[in-house]
Amino acid sequence: MITILGIESSCDDTSAAVIRDGYLLSNVTASQAVHEAYGGVVPELASRAHEKNIVPVVDQALKRAGVTKEELSAIAFTRGPGLMGSLLVGVSFAKGLAASLGIPMIDVNHLQGHVLAHFIQEQQSPSPLPPFPFLCLLVSGGNSQIVLVKAYNKMEIIGQTIDDAAGECIDKCSKLMGLGYPGGPVIDRLARQGNPDAYHFSKPAIPGYDYSFSGLKTSFLYNLRDWLQEDPDFIEHHKEDLAASLEKTVVDILMNKLRRAAKDLKIKHVAVAGGVSANTGLREAFKEHARRYGWTIYIPKFSYTTDNAAMIAITGMFKYADKDFCPMEAPAYSRVAL
């Protein structure tokens, strides 16, 4: 039996998970509410919270899995990209635990983990696995990419944002409306009550499969400014329609490029991953494309959309099979592509 402990600490969630022979035994995450008052993640506060949370989170993951640390085959950890202070907490903990147990370490690219989250299996409800090659739309607060996945360790970014990411755009527009941080869940909830055709915002004309969301953000800002000059209570009266129209525009931008890539590459297996994949409108768009274009789609469980250690552990399982281990001196990194 191969038993992998996964550790994720790239941003503001401390997470640990245990996977045995591909099946998830536990996935424990401690989130940080302290950042809400600042409208974004404060790196120093995040790293301090990781230091406080990592020992109890790992302890709970092992207990819920019914696994002792002596039974672990290896420790997989997020090496990057992410906030350096947050990463260092997880990397240092993984190194210390692996050294004390005399077992190998496996470094994981955080973005690769999001893509491979589709291979997490649960004993109670096994799900179909995407075959290689497949396309994955990777969308989060910091990334908007179309990834051609040829193998677990062979991924090609064929399209990506040239400025703001989709999640970043939504968060900034939510902040402009005074709806708080993070904006994604708030916009999603309000959009369910609004008219998606109430307002129209500019869409980019970027060649190829690349994305751009800065124009949408600017269009939203200037329109909102004009509306507020006419009616200071405009947001309060129209926030549901604004949210629905914003969400529809973002989803349309994402799906137009993804649809073109799938057609050009003649690929019918299409997945979505990352924090924005929790968005209801995007999930419905995937289902509609499956009906209209014959796609076989792969949509992660909500617990696997945000930063979590299960995706790190399953990536570690793939790399363990290839004996792709990490040296003790390997440093964390804040920025890198897939």
Side-chain angles (χ1 to χ4, degrees), residues 33 54 81 89 95 102 143 208 250 312 328:
I54 192 161
V89 175
K95 288 181 177 181
N143 299 278
V250 171
I312 304 304
M328 185 64 69

Side-chain angles (χ1 to χ4, degrees), residues 141-191:
N143 299 278
S144 292
Q145 302 174 339
I146 300 176
V147 184
L148 176 59
V149 188
K150 301 176 182 178
Y152 91 86
N153 57 354
K154 192 174 182 181
M155 302 184 186
E156 178 185 354
I157 299 173
I158 62 173
Q160 60 186 326
T161 182
I162 62 174
D163 42 57
D164 289 350
E168 185 180 10
C169 176
I170 291 174
D171 281 341
K172 288 180 177 179
C173 290
S174 173
K175 191 172 183 179
L176 289 172
M177 294 171 64
L179 300 178
Y181 174 88
V186 180
I187 294 295
D188 192 0
R189 175 175 55 81
L190 291 174

Side-chain angles (χ1 to χ4, degrees), residues 110-130:
H110 176 81
L111 302 180
Q112 182 187 27
H114 272 303
V115 175
L116 295 180
H118 293 285
F119 292 87
I120 300 169
Q121 288 291 307
E122 299 178 356
Q123 292 280 5
Q124 300 84 358
S125 55
S127 56
L129 307 180

